[in-house]
Amino acid sequence: LPQTNKRQLTPDNRGTKRHVGPIRSISAQFSPATLSPSVATPSQKYSSRANVGGIVASYGDADNASWKANPNFSPKVKLLAMGGEESLNQTYKYMFEKLGDAAEALDDAIVVLAEQMKETLGVEEYSEFKTVSNESEWVVGRICCDSVGRLNAASVLLEGSREASSGETVPVDLSRLTEYSLFPGQIVSIKGVHTTSNKLIAQELVLGKVLPPSTSPITINSTMGPVQIVVACGPFTTTENLLYEPLTDLLTVMHKNPPHLLILLGPFLDAAHPLVANNELGETHDAVFNRCIRIITTTLENSGTQVILVPSCRDICTPMVYPTPPFTVGGNIMCVSDPALLDIEGVVVALTATDILLHLGKEEVSFQGSDRLGRLTRHLLWQQSLYPLYPGPEDICVDQEQAETHGRLPCNPHVLILPSDLRYFIRDLENCVVVNPERLAKGLVGGTYAQLELHPPSKDEK
């Protein structure tokens, strides 16, 4: 793996009142005179926040990082396909998915992961659910809940594939397991005894399999310097107004010290923002979004920074469906879908704007250690999917066919970016560096963003 240095900071706006020129012009473009006072009144709580520009978490040799991008080096960025042959690059017809097609996509996911787990388990075939035996047998299927409420230890069902178990379900007794961590939609292998009372008594549990890493060579050249990347996730404005003060401060920092890549993940105009939800805007949603894009473009013009935009199903200017198709923004901005897989000089970076960690945390039933964030993240790598939860929460519409094609991982990424409302973290899990930059704005106050420095791998690394 490449040496990867990361740190997370809060945007620094301490120089905003002392300078003129570019800094004031950025802020002024977010507050045109046509906006109403409720939309354009500056946030006193945001401007008085503490720890401005402070480092709150780090990983690797961050203290010796340069954090200066070589202007003569422009890293190559390619968009990779995920589960299908091509990446998601345009809007698709959603809300037309048939139940049979969704069921087939879910069944295919069981078959694929079941075949991969056979090698780990050392078995040639799985046992059928309807086979009653006093001997322990391996079965495979998807975790389901036998009730409408949240999954618990007494409501766990295992649903088999059509091929292996005719799609049947069997209740699972977890009492003999020393530890477990389960959620609806999870594909697992269970070794247990199927009793005459139609219950599977679980004795061993395998939670999936991590994919091998990408075979593409890492081409970062040490003579040109490391790749500098900044990652920030919306919301980009506080809930008090639509002045986008956190985004203004971030752009100010980027204007002074441009990175090679600036990855911005939505929502850019959150559908849940109070001014949007209460219909208190004096302009259209598209006008607000287009102003954000225009300011991002003009601020970083001729800076050498490549901007990558990732939409969110929470964005009011995008189809509220997952996977979310990319924005249609002109210029030099690279627009990708949510989720997306990037190749940055051979370093594979998987990212999503959807808060899958929070969604999993609300549905998971666990009898395991205290490392909750690490456990939730490992689920994604073991399940080889950036959204393995099924069914999802009511506020997110998941197209199962598209998720199977554009939401599954083809390899174990080097870097995984998972913005979440849960606490920021940087971890090395399953040979993958996972970053949660959290949010650039959190309610009435500012949040955090991540700064990454990618180095070429050392001689003893592959």
Side-chain angles (χ1 to χ4, degrees), residues 151-163:
L151 185 71
N152 59 70
S155 64
V156 175
L157 296 177
L158 188 68
E159 178 186 47
S161 66
R162 297 174 182 175
E163 179 183 356

Side-chain angles (χ1 to χ4, degrees), residues 241-263:
N241 56 47
L242 285 176
L243 292 180
Y244 287 85
E245 294 164 292
L247 181 58
T248 300
D249 295 337
L250 176 68
L251 293 176
T252 300
V253 176
M254 298 301 99
H255 182 80
K256 294 179 180 178
N257 185 18
H260 291 119
L261 299 173
L262 174 60
I263 302 176

Side-chain angles (χ1 to χ4, degrees), residues 179-192:
E179 60 179 19
Y180 55 83
S181 177
L182 304 173
F183 62 88
Q186 183 182 24
I187 300 171
V188 299
S189 292
I190 298 178
K191 185 178 183 180

